[in-house]
Amino acid sequence: MLSKEEAIAVKSYKVCLKDDVKKFTKKLFYALFDKEYSRKHNESIKDLFFNITKSLEIKNAKILWEMFKSQFPEIRDKLNLDALAIEQNDPATKSLDEVYLAYPGFHAIAIYRLSNALYKLKAYVIARMMSEYVHGITGIDIHPGATIGSSFFIDHGTGIVIGETAIIKENVKIYQGVTLGGLQVKKSLSETKRHPTIEKNVTIYANATVLGGDIVIGANSTIGANVWITQSVPENALVTYQSEIKISSKK
């Protein structure tokens, strides 16, 4: 009988699936917003999905695909609200076209919403691979198990981390470098809520860190840049980090 370490050492892992998942994710994203592209590539997208599920030995792939595909209209509707939130809140945005075509935050949210649907259908590995693909090209790490409400706005985005059990309600804005993480990383906590809850209409500015499964950021609050939060924040609060900065002349 091989030990667990020996079994891992000799097992063959199909890491080349990364390429298939990359193609699948890109085509799925394009097809979601481009009807002509969807018409031309629908079969190839489905074939890629079946190839991936076969390699991962996922059963009932046809049923899984139909259940996943049936959610595309709802996902598109949610993403349209996300795009509007970006266009209405970012003064640098000149048009909705710019959001759909050029915003890494929107791209990351789109792949999150697709991967989240698969995660809920218990296709955990595919969902995780999709999220890691978009993480690699945007620098935004959203676990597919997170719960994110409508009209979500990510600005800039690089370095954002949103953990598996995080809950984000409607109309939340998050800037670059924000972490919604856990206080502990013990394996025994895998089935518990480890990440914070962000209520409606909250803004979290750059490089803020919010840690803990029991932490709630109250509705309509603003979390300033660079703060470190490990306790709940009431509604309508303003949380800032104060440091003494002195500017003096060289003369």
Side-chain angles (χ1 to χ4, degrees), residues 38-108:
S38 177
R39 186 184 65 80
K40 290 181 178 179
H41 296 276
N42 182 59
E43 287 302 313
S44 65
I45 293 170
K46 183 169 66 173
D47 289 343
L48 275 169
F49 182 80
F50 288 153
N51 288 339
I52 294 164
T53 53
K54 182 178 179 181
S55 294
L56 292 173
E57 299 179 355
I58 295 175
K59 297 178 180 179
N60 301 315
K62 290 184 179 180
I63 295 173
L64 179 62
W65 171 253
E66 291 302 323
M67 294 176 70
F68 181 42
K69 186 179 178 182
S70 70
Q71 297 182 58
F72 292 171
E74 181 183 356
I75 292 170
R76 170 66 192 263
D77 289 344
K78 288 181 179 179
L79 288 169
N80 289 339
L81 292 175
D82 297 325
L84 282 170
I86 295 171
E87 191 264 343
Q88 292 170 358
N89 286 284
D90 185 358
T93 304
K94 301 298 187 286
S95 67
L96 273 172
D97 283 354
E98 184 180 357
V99 175
Y100 286 97
L101 297 174
Y103 265 62
F106 179 74
H107 193 182

Side-chain angles (χ1 to χ4, degrees), residues 1-237:
M1 177 71 68
L2 293 175
S3 68
K4 185 174 182 180
E5 291 77 10
E6 290 170 332
I8 291 172
V10 300
K11 183 176 178 179
S12 176
Y13 292 94
K14 298 175 181 178
V15 292
C16 60
L17 276 178
K18 286 177 175 287
D19 291 335
D20 286 343
V21 172
K22 175 181 177 180
K23 292 176 185 176
F24 171 71
T25 306
K26 287 177 67 174
K27 288 189 170 188
L28 196 58
F29 175 73
Y30 298 156
L32 196 63
F33 299 105
D34 187 330
K35 291 181 180 179
E36 182 63 20
Y37 186 93
S38 177
R39 186 184 65 80
K40 290 181 178 179
H41 296 276
N42 182 59
E43 287 302 313
S44 65
I45 293 170
K46 183 169 66 173
D47 289 343
L48 275 169
F49 182 80
F50 288 153
N51 288 339
I52 294 164
T53 53
K54 182 178 179 181
S55 294
L56 292 173
E57 299 179 355
I58 295 175
K59 297 178 180 179
N60 301 315
K62 290 184 179 180
I63 295 173
L64 179 62
W65 171 253
E66 291 302 323
M67 294 176 70
F68 181 42
K69 186 179 178 182
S70 70
Q71 297 182 58
F72 292 171
E74 181 183 356
I75 292 170
R76 170 66 192 263
D77 289 344
K78 288 181 179 179
L79 288 169
N80 289 339
L81 292 175
D82 297 325
L84 282 170
I86 295 171
E87 191 264 343
Q88 292 170 358
N89 286 284
D90 185 358
T93 304
K94 301 298 187 286
S95 67
L96 273 172
D97 283 354
E98 184 180 357
V99 175
Y100 286 97
L101 297 174
Y103 265 62
F106 179 74
H107 193 182
I109 294 167
I111 304 309
Y112 155 75
R113 296 210 183 279
L114 288 164
S115 64
N116 176 252
L118 280 172
Y119 190 88
K120 289 178 178 178
L121 292 170
K122 299 185 178 181
Y124 300 123
V125 177
I126 302 176
R128 197 74 173 94
M129 292 175 76
M130 290 172 67
S131 71
E132 281 308 300
Y133 160 67
V134 78
H135 177 200
I137 61 177
T138 65
I140 299 167
D141 185 2
I142 307 176
H143 194 286
T147 301
I148 300 178
S150 61
S151 300
F152 184 43
F153 172 30
I154 289 177
D155 198 7
H156 304 297
T158 305
I160 284 176
V161 177
I162 299 174
E164 177 189 19
T165 61
I167 298 173
I168 300 174
K169 302 291 182 67
E170 293 77 21
N171 301 306
V172 169
K173 297 190 286 290
I174 293 182
Y175 289 76
Q176 69 272 18
V178 167
T179 296
L180 304 181
L183 275 171
Q184 301 184 59
V185 291
K186 294 178 181 178
K187 187 66 176 178
S188 60
L189 299 175
S190 63
E191 299 301 319
T192 63
K193 188 176 185 301
R194 307 180 304 282
H195 307 97
T197 295
I198 313 299
E199 294 290 348
K200 296 179 180 179
N201 306 314
V202 169
T203 298
I204 307 178
Y205 283 104
N207 300 312
T209 298
V210 186
L211 302 178
D214 296 330
I215 303 307
V216 177
I217 305 300
N220 310 306
S221 292
T222 298
I223 309 301
N226 301 309
V227 299
W228 178 279
I229 295 177
T230 56
Q231 63 186 52
S232 291
V233 172
E235 294 183 358
N236 304 302

